[in-house]
Amino acid sequence: MIKPIIAGLGLAAVLPALALAECAEVSQGDLSVRAAWSRATIGTARPAVFYVTIQNNGSTDDRLTGIETRVAGMPMLHETVTKDGVASMPHADAIDIPAGKTVSLAPGGYHGMLMNLEAELKEGESFPVTLQFEKAGEVSIDTEVLPIRAREAACGVAP
Amino acid sequence: MLKTIRIALWIAVAVSLVVVGVLLWRADRQEQAAAFRPAFSLPDETGAIHTTEEFKGKYVLVFFGFTNCPDICPTTMSEVAQVMDDLGPQAEKVQPVFISVDPARDRASGLDEYLAAFHPAILGLAGDEASTRAAVESFKVFADPEKAASAPGGYTMSHSSSLYLLGPRGDWLRQFEYGTPADDITADLKGRL
Ligand SMILES: [Cu+2]
């Protein structure tokens, strides 16, 4: 009787810590890249999304110029622009990562658009994405596939 | 004498009924003139037509979008799903409706399956070009196939990204701009329910 309660309490203490698990983080040069996530897809007909947080710890500006991943034949950088209540998502040639700043690809703003999916993205899986930076070069990070209803990274994201 | 009084009373009743009737009629006409009642008449995936009329008595949350949009459409549908969960039993009084502005492609890729992944209560509607345009114009929103080689199918879509709330009589109540937290929408709805 007591044991399950203790186990339950233990689990209750551990679960929030797990839920706010540390994000996978990859550092290269002045940049650190973390909190890479995507939403599960239904089949491969619709494009998937890629979100990530990039921190520039250095004193020189850098730029994200492209992304590559084996899960999509046509990955691209997009920016959702909402003007007068109307949203569109033009292609972004590059995303500035200014010195000392943190930039997030996040819902409603910049996103990686993963078109021509090779396979369905299933919740709980992960896939690698390589980010191409003008100065820091290529950085690969493991991207978590979250539920289709996810609105943010599963690990705590610094704003 | 008594008979005269009785007749006079009946006349008074009749007159007051007419007066009340006229007042109600005028109030209704004024309200109709004041209220903006956007409308749609669009098929779901099975082909059954749904109209705004059908949801009289409920609050209707309308979103215009397309399922090939991987960023703000899923984000908004997630917020709506959260609202429906948080409303609990009161969710019965709220009908979320997703109107496709890319109906041909959305029908082909399975609108219902997609929306059900967010919440089973969300009704997906995808008409033909004319009925879609009629709905877009009635809501005074914007949706336009935008030529862009960067999107699958050769184009992406500019579209109004707010959620529109219709009242139980079909009148337009307000919009929630993109990014309105689910909690705020839930609080607004609970204040009305
Ligand atoms: Cu996009």
Side-chain angles (χ1 to χ4, degrees), chain B residues 44-65:
Chain B
D44 63 19
E45 206 175 85
T46 68
I49 300 289
H50 297 271
T51 65
T52 19
E53 200 66 28
E54 180 187 330
F55 303 110
K56 286 274 165 78
K58 283 189 172 189
Y59 287 85
V60 185
L61 261 181
V62 179
F63 182 71
F64 290 84

Side-chain angles (χ1 to χ4, degrees), chain B residues 20-44:
Chain B
V20 167
V22 167
L23 285 175
L24 279 177
W25 177 74
R26 282 182 54 182
D28 195 49
R29 268 180 59 109
Q30 269 171 7
E31 203 176 301
Q32 268 183 18
F36 168 41
R37 292 199 170 103
F40 56 75
S41 176
L42 294 161
D44 63 19

Side-chain angles (χ1 to χ4, degrees), chain A residues 42 46 148, chain B residues 67 69 73-74 77 110-118:
Chain A
I42 300 168
R46 303 182 187 91
I148 198 166
Chain B
T67 71
C69 143
C73 301
M77 286 304 103
L111 186 57
D112 284 355
E113 190 190 10
Y114 176 82
L115 293 173
F118 293 94

Side-chain angles (χ1 to χ4, degrees), chain B residues 64-88:
Chain B
F64 290 84
F66 64 109
T67 71
N68 265 40
C69 143
D71 183 38
I72 69 166
C73 301
T75 307
T76 304
M77 286 304 103
S78 300
E79 300 286 348
V80 169
Q82 190 65 52
V83 167
M84 294 307 282
D85 283 350
D86 292 347
L87 282 173

Side-chain angles (χ1 to χ4, degrees), chain A residues 78 89 111 113:
Chain A
H78 278 183
M89 47 172 195
H111 57 274
M113 179 115 158

